[in-house]
Amino acid sequence: MLNNNKNTGIKITGTGRYLPDKILSNLDLEAMVDTTDEWIRTRTGIEQRHIATDDQPTSFLGAGAAMQALEAAKLNPAEIELIIVATISPDKIFPNTACFVQKKIGAKNAVCFSVEAACSGFVYIMAIGSAMIESGLFKNAILIGAEKLSSIINWNDRSTCVLFGDGAGAVVLERTLSTEENMHIYSKLGSDGNHSDILHVPGGGSCQPFSQTVLDKKLHFLAMSGQEVFKLAVTTMAAAAKETLEKSGISIDDIKWLIPHQANTRIITAVAKRLNIDEKKVYVNLANYGNTSGATIPIALDELVRGGLINKGDYLLFVAFGGGLTWGANLIRW
Ligand code: UT7
């Protein structure tokens, strides 16, 4: 997806993140399920994850990240025209979580909706939000990846509970009329519903509404075929990143930071190898947060921005995959 409207573009004017205070370490997990710190570290790269408390729903985390991003952009909440939240752990089945964020931050003039593209959620809303601004429909937006995955995890299932964490990241996008300032170079999105059952929450939706059976069989928790997801993650992310580079005429050597979805360091290493990118340019913070699904990329971006590790003109490549399957990439020039 290229910006064909040459008169308008987007710039990222603020970033933010919110991680709940409570930390669950691998050692804590050893006391909960049959696992070891060594297994988790060597198979995934994760050392700890943040966990939200009962009174911190997804919108609370999202609002925290959004307020930081607004402050960085020097905008008042009332000036925001659009809020998009990427999440698979919404506050409620409906209304959409962006409406709850709107209420919490007081963005009374915003149009609000959520996107359910799992771990690819942020890459999806980056493409959607950019297109909505580039088209002239809105002059600014807050894009938020926010997850309270701890609420859909079976804490007795060692094959999934060690992998995920809670958190949120946000960016403020604003319209620019200057081609010099336009940051959005290209977005590639993909989906394949044929693999919808390898990473999903089987029960509690309209397919199998919530019932005692759903509860007894624990179908309201996330279920995953780890190895299948692993293989598809590597192929789809590498292909999306390659196509994005090719279509925009940018070489992998031009990329300052590859910011991949953070699910497993072995997946990230395999993707980096296929792209032939220097591993020093691949941003990895998985050890601290685990997999926060749609929040991983905006959290990583905010760390890089606040750490002073991105300079004007740098090319950033976001790439992700997730349940659906969904996958995608965004190329940004800072
Ligand atoms: O964002 C998208 C979401 N998901 C992902 O990206 C996940 C993609 N998949 C993965 O990252 C990996 O497949 C996992 C980390 C989930 C699993 O790693 P793996 O190397 O594929 O392990 P495996 O599933 O083949 O399991 C190997 C062994 C099994 O034991 P046996 O059958 O060899 O005796 C598992 O029962 O490891 C066992 N195992 C564990 N052992 C200790 C599985 N989970 C654990 C655990 N602690 N937490």
Side-chain angles (χ1 to χ4, degrees), residues 3-329:
N3 175 10
N4 290 321
N5 185 353
K6 298 291 176 209
N7 297 321
T8 58
I10 61 107
K11 53 181 177 171
I12 296 173
T13 54
T15 64
R17 66 181 188 272
Y18 184 89
L19 280 312
D21 291 340
K22 187 177 159 195
I23 286 176
L24 186 70
S25 70
N26 292 351
L27 291 178
D28 295 330
L29 280 164
E30 282 189 5
M32 293 163 61
V33 287
D34 181 16
T35 192
T36 60
D37 172 50
E38 206 252 333
W39 191 96
I40 304 171
R41 275 174 201 261
T42 54
R43 296 289 181 127
T44 73
I46 300 166
E47 295 175 15
Q48 62 171 43
R49 65 289 291 143
H50 291 245
I51 303 291
T53 52
D54 289 347
D55 59 348
Q56 295 176 327
T58 297
S59 64
F60 177 89
L61 311 180
M67 286 308 289
Q68 259 199 7
L70 278 173
E71 201 179 313
K74 299 186 174 57
L75 283 179
N76 293 318
E79 292 176 273
I80 290 297
E81 297 188 352
L82 175 66
I83 301 175
I84 314 179
V85 172
T87 189
I88 49 163
S89 48
D91 285 24
K92 299 182 181 180
I93 288 180
F94 82 94
N96 77 73
T97 301
C99 286
F100 293 114
V101 172
Q102 174 190 34
K103 183 178 170 189
K104 286 190 167 70
I105 67 174
K108 58 183 182 184
N109 297 310
V111 170
C112 304
F113 67 93
S114 297
V115 168
E116 194 184 7
C119 303
S120 313
F122 186 77
V123 165
Y124 267 56
I125 64 174
M126 190 66 209
I128 296 165
S130 299
M132 291 179 88
I133 292 176
E134 286 160 0
S135 71
L137 207 51
F138 295 95
K139 72 168 193 279
N140 62 35
I142 309 182
L143 311 181
I144 305 165
E147 297 288 9
K148 185 176 180 177
L149 294 173
S150 60
S151 66
I152 57 166
I153 294 300
N154 178 353
W155 289 100
N156 295 313
D157 175 9
R158 71 173 183 174
S159 71
T160 53
C161 76
V162 303
L163 304 174
F164 299 96
D166 301 336
V171 303
V172 171
L173 297 188
E174 291 187 64
R175 185 165 65 205
T176 174
L177 302 179
S178 147
T179 45
E180 290 276 293
E181 281 186 334
N182 182 24
M183 288 184 169
H184 182 219
I185 309 295
Y186 188 83
S187 285
K188 159 74 188 171
L189 303 179
S191 317
D192 185 354
N194 288 316
H195 299 290
S196 56
D197 57 354
I198 63 170
L199 178 50
H200 63 154
V201 174
S206 59
C207 183
Q208 196 168 0
F210 198 75
S211 65
Q212 191 60 46
T213 310
V214 167
L215 196 59
D216 291 345
K217 292 188 173 171
K218 303 189 187 319
L219 301 177
H220 54 303
F221 291 131
L222 180 149
M224 178 173 68
S225 308
Q227 288 193 0
E228 270 183 89
V229 174
F230 190 110
K231 285 181 211 142
L232 287 163
V234 175
T235 51
T236 57
M237 286 212 288
K242 277 184 186 168
E243 183 178 329
T244 299
L245 291 170
E246 275 163 24
K247 290 271 169 55
S248 40
I250 300 292
S251 143
I252 192 72
D253 298 330
D254 296 329
I255 299 296
K256 175 73 180 286
W257 288 109
L258 174 69
I259 308 182
H261 170 52
Q262 311 279 315
N264 187 319
T265 43
R266 290 185 294 138
I267 293 175
I268 294 172
T269 304
V271 171
K273 211 167 164 191
R274 284 183 183 218
L275 295 177
N276 208 12
I277 186 169
D278 181 346
E279 65 182 35
K280 288 195 211 79
K281 294 175 162 188
V282 183
Y283 194 71
V284 184
N285 61 9
L286 180 65
N288 297 330
Y289 307 123
N291 181 348
T292 57
S293 186
T296 65
I297 290 175
I299 290 173
L301 178 65
D302 185 58
E303 286 188 338
L304 284 166
V305 169
R306 287 174 194 271
L309 296 169
I310 303 178
N311 296 309
K312 189 164 169 46
D314 286 347
Y315 284 103
L316 312 179
L317 183 57
F318 307 155
V319 64
F321 75 97
L325 289 183
T326 56
W327 60 87

